[in-house]
């Protein structure tokens, strides 16, 4: 029986518009290519990535009964993702992001994401937690009610039910002075695996060296801590052994959107397949490498067999 992963967090409808000239605001009209509408947000990207890798994924987030919300539900249905516990908000719209892509391929975002502040621990029932083997929360530092007590609440219940708890983070630019290490301490106490990006890890700890950053989390009961380091690979520790894992080489980078989310999908897929923690990180790096080779947040993620073949060839070179 497949193990089940519950993804909790951001659900976004993204619209990509290109090409957008740098002086667009001084122009009356510009011809663009056909806009691309796709899914985005950490939890949604991770759930789609998991589904593409053959895992059984469910998702909890907040959307509205609007066109963007219907698009997200239809896409989840296409991938076989369980949306039965998604909450419908009556005050906010479904989170939407408009990516203006310039002639160089750089993206500039216009976003409306007020619904993120409404997601709370109470949106996640005991039944939803009990029905999963892994419980993942994607955006520490970016979901107000979840940061206040929601993460701790959900993860403490998950721990009580014997589930594995996994967390990622997102940089909060609206609250740059907060001491996040102290603020999220109770949530970290209930986290088995935490794998932020380098920018997020520095923001939380104030440290800049991976080993020193990891030292800040040693006091918590984590089984694994890691740092996503972009094209430099990742740093991983189980607090007994530290490892740097390089990125696969020879990959043509087309679009880095969703690279971190695809990494987390690969990591959790590895967990449910019985890989050890370091092998999970290697597999996750391979999934992320495949994903950045295509345009879109999850477009490059292959099925499990292709991802595992790529991982095995990468592993032999390590």
């Amino acid at each position: 029986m497949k193990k089940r992963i519950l993804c909790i967090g951001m659900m976004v409808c993204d619209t990509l518009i290109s090409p957008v000239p740098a002086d667009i605001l001084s122009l009356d009209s510009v011809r663009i290519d056909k806009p691309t509408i796709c899914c985005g947000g950490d939890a949604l990207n991770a759930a789609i990535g998991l589904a593409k890798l053959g895992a059984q994924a469910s998702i909890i987030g907040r959307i509205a009964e609007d066109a963007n919300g219907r698009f997200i539900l239809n896409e989840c249905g296409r991938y076989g993702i369980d949306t039965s516990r998604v909450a419908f908000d009556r005050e906010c719209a479904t989170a939407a992001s408009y990516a203006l892509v310039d002639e160089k391929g750089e993206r500039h975002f216009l976003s409306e994401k007020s619904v993120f502040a409404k997601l709370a621990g109470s949106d996640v029932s005991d039944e939803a937690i009990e029905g999963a083997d892994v419980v993942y929360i994607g955006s520490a530092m970016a979901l107000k009610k979840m940061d206040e007590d929601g993460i701790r609440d959900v993860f403490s219940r998950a721990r009580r039910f014997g589930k594995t708890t996994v967390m990622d983070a997102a940089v909060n630019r609206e609250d740059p002075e907060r001491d996040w290490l102290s603020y999220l301490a109770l949530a970290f106490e209930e986290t088995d695996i935490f794998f932020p990006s380098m920018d997020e890890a520095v923001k939380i700890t104030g440290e800049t060296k991976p080993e020193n950053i990891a030292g800040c989390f040693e006091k918590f009961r984590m089984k694994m801590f890691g740092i996503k380091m972009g094209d430099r690979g990742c740093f991983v520790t189980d607090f007994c052994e530290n490892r740097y894992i390089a990125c696969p080489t020879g990959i043509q980078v087309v679009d880095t959107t969703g690279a971190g989310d695809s990494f987390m999908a690969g990591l959790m897929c590895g967990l449910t397949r019985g890989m050890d923690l370091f092998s999970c990180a290697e597999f996750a790096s391979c999934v992320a490498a495949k994903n950045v080779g295509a345009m879109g947040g999850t477009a490059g993620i292959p099925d499990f067999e292709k991802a595992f073949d790529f991982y095995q060839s990468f592993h032999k070179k390590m």
Side-chain angles (χ1 to χ4, degrees):
M1 182 178 177
K2 289 183 180 179
K3 291 191 175 181
R4 299 153 295 181
I5 301 101
L6 170 61
C7 300
I8 303 165
M10 299 177 178
M11 302 175 71
V12 185
C13 182
D14 289 336
T15 302
L16 280 62
I17 302 170
S18 68
V20 179
D23 58 348
I24 181 62
L25 294 182
S26 67
L27 302 176
D28 179 64
S29 179
V30 172
R31 183 183 295 275
I32 62 172
D33 297 335
K34 181 181 178 181
T36 300
I37 302 175
C38 55
C39 292
D42 49 39
L44 190 51
N45 282 343
I48 291 173
L50 285 162
K52 293 183 75 171
L53 289 166
Q56 187 173 329
S58 59
I59 189 165
I60 293 178
R62 279 188 169 261
I63 61 174
E65 292 182 337
D66 53 22
N68 288 338
R70 288 191 292 274
F71 172 81
I72 287 172
L73 292 181
N74 286 338
E75 286 296 284
C76 287
R78 186 161 70 91
Y79 287 107
I81 299 166
D82 180 3
T83 59
S84 61
R85 293 182 173 86
V86 168
F88 289 90
D89 198 286
R90 297 187 178 185
E91 298 177 357
C92 299
T94 299
S97 183
Y98 300 87
L100 309 182
V101 186
D102 64 25
E103 292 95 332
K104 297 179 180 179
E106 296 294 326
R107 297 184 176 200
H108 311 272
F109 291 91
L110 303 172
S111 302
E112 199 296 300
K113 301 177 179 178
S114 56
V115 73
F116 289 169
K118 304 285 287 298
L119 184 66
S122 57
D123 289 321
V124 185
S125 67
D126 283 354
E127 290 75 18
I129 296 171
E130 286 187 281
D133 297 286
V134 177
V135 178
Y136 163 73
I137 292 177
S139 288
M141 301 196 293
L143 302 171
K144 185 176 185 295
K145 289 185 178 180
M146 296 301 290
D147 290 337
E148 288 174 348
D149 191 55
I151 300 172
R152 181 210 62 79
D153 169 50
V154 172
F155 277 5
S156 64
R157 285 186 282 143
R159 280 267 187 87
R160 192 165 68 245
F161 293 133
K163 313 302 180 180
T164 299
T165 57
V166 180
M167 185 163 67
D168 198 352
V171 172
N172 185 328
R173 292 180 174 84
E174 297 177 2
D175 198 356
E177 303 304 320
R178 187 180 294 279
D179 178 357
W180 288 104
L181 190 63
S182 297
Y183 192 68
L184 295 173
L186 294 178
F188 291 139
E189 289 282 358
E190 304 294 343
T191 303
D192 291 317
I193 297 172
F194 184 41
F195 223 116
S197 71
M198 189 67 182
D199 287 346
E200 293 152 1
V202 171
K203 173 65 68 175
I204 292 169
T205 65
E207 299 286 349
T208 56
K209 290 184 61 177
E211 290 85 358
N212 293 345
I213 292 171
C216 296
F217 293 94
E218 196 165 1
K219 61 186 176 182
F220 302 114
R221 298 181 295 166
M222 293 181 188
K223 297 175 182 176
M224 176 186 190
F225 173 78
I227 304 171
K228 300 187 290 287
M229 301 170 64
D231 59 7
R232 293 181 293 154
C234 64
F235 168 86
V236 189
T237 183
D238 61 0
F239 302 101
C240 294
E241 179 184 357
N242 298 339
R243 287 192 199 177
Y244 283 89
I245 295 172
C247 285
T249 57
I251 301 297
Q252 182 180 3
V253 178
V254 175
D255 183 8
T256 60
T257 304
D261 298 331
S262 62
F263 181 97
M264 297 306 295
L267 184 81
M268 291 185 284
C269 177
L271 284 174
T272 63
R273 296 274 183 164
M275 295 182 187
D276 66 69
L277 295 177
F278 294 106
S279 296
C280 285
E282 286 184 8
F283 181 71
S285 293
C286 291
V287 172
K290 282 291 189 183
N291 192 46
V292 300
M295 181 66 69
T298 59
I301 298 176
D303 60 32
F304 177 78
E305 287 71 23
K306 290 178 181 177
F308 192 73
D309 285 346
F310 182 58
Y311 156 73
Q312 285 185 309
S313 64
F314 168 65
H315 184 73
K316 289 176 182 177
K317 298 175 184 178
M318 293 291 288

